[in-house]
Amino acid sequence: MSDTREGRSEGVLEVLDVPEEWKVTSSTEHFRARVITAVTDAVVMPEGEVVNRDYVVHPGSVVVVALDDRERVLMIRQYRHPVRRLLWELPAGLRDVRGESLQAGAARELAEEAGYRADTWHTLVDAFTSPGMTDERTRIFLARDVAPIPEGELDFVHRHEEADMPVVWIPLSDAVRRAMAGMIHNSQAVAGILAAYAASADGFASLRPADAPEA
């Protein structure tokens, strides 16, 4: 009896995401909002059939895993209307400032959402948040050597969901436990927490620089 898994065994294919683009015969924009655009593309499948694929065009995001000298991670809580929950998350925001580097955007979000700055930055992980339905890509940074920004230097006014957004520091190991127990649901937070915990095994020596190019 033949092994139907032949060709999928270890070492046969390199596990590495690569660019690929199948032919699109038409593209329909359904609506354009402040942040997102809903689109349907007619995509030619490998066997020649044309099928519709709906997705959301998104500007992208940056996320910050801020660790203090006690290996505690900074987390914030924010209301997320689509899921009707208060979620514990990492400081994050859109890539919506023209010409701003990803690291600068992440530093801005850390300052605006949490009131902290950091002296040491590394790239922790890159991800597509939900590639079956959006082109949003996110870069999650590790920020260390953190310090609070003096109140007089802060000029950001929190509004709407950010008006009541508590900031807490919890041990990274506790954050991992909570993520694995289903107590933390935000996908970027889960990815960042687990990646930071894994990277701590070698003292973060294997991380990419903060300005590493996105593949």
Side-chain angles (χ1 to χ4, degrees):
M1 181 176 180
S2 63
D3 187 349
T4 58
R5 296 171 297 176
E6 184 177 355
R8 300 184 183 182
S9 60
E10 182 179 351
V12 173
L13 292 175
E14 184 177 9
V15 181
L16 170 67
D17 295 341
V18 296
E20 174 80 357
E21 187 169 355
W22 294 356
K23 182 178 179 180
V24 174
T25 62
S26 66
S27 184
T28 303
E29 181 179 305
H30 299 290
F31 74 90
R32 182 181 296 269
R34 183 182 64 85
V35 174
I36 62 172
T37 302
V39 173
T40 298
D41 283 352
V43 185
V44 181
M45 297 290 107
E47 69 278 7
E49 182 182 2
V50 178
V51 299
N52 288 334
R53 291 291 178 259
D54 307 320
Y55 63 99
V56 171
V57 177
H58 190 282
S61 55
V62 289
V63 185
V64 185
V65 177
L67 286 182
D68 67 7
D69 56 5
R70 295 164 57 186
E71 291 239 329
R72 297 182 305 171
V73 59
L74 183 153
M75 300 200 71
I76 60 177
R77 191 185 68 187
Q78 187 167 348
Y79 175 66
R80 294 299 187 182
H81 184 70
V83 295
R84 276 37 172 208
R85 292 195 184 204
L86 287 168
L87 297 183
W88 284 101
E89 305 180 350
L90 303 170
L94 299 172
R95 305 181 185 187
D96 57 356
V97 177
R98 185 180 298 275
E100 184 179 61
S101 71
L102 298 182
Q103 180 187 346
R108 174 173 53 80
E109 294 296 342
L110 180 61
E112 291 179 353
E113 294 195 342
Y116 280 81
R117 60 166 61 106
D119 288 335
T120 304
W121 290 82
H122 287 89
T123 294
L124 189 56
V125 69
D126 293 316
F128 292 106
T129 58
S130 185
M133 59 81 63
T134 179
D135 67 351
E136 179 188 0
R137 64 188 308 162
T138 189
R139 166 157 289 189
I140 304 178
F141 289 92
L142 176 69
R144 292 178 293 156
D145 299 317
V146 296
I149 300 173
E151 188 172 339
E153 296 181 23
L154 294 172
D155 59 0
F156 182 76
V157 178
H158 291 107
R159 301 175 64 240
H160 304 143
E161 288 91 343
E162 296 179 344
D164 180 22
M165 195 165 59
V167 175
V168 300
W169 290 91
I170 68 171
L172 179 59
S173 58
D174 188 29
V176 170
R177 179 185 65 80
R178 291 171 183 273
M180 298 298 290
M183 302 168 68
I184 297 172
H185 296 83
N186 178 279
S187 62
Q188 294 166 316
V190 172
I193 288 166
L194 296 183
Y197 187 73
S200 68
D202 66 358
F204 309 109
S206 60
L207 292 181
R208 292 170 289 161
D211 60 353
E214 287 186 299

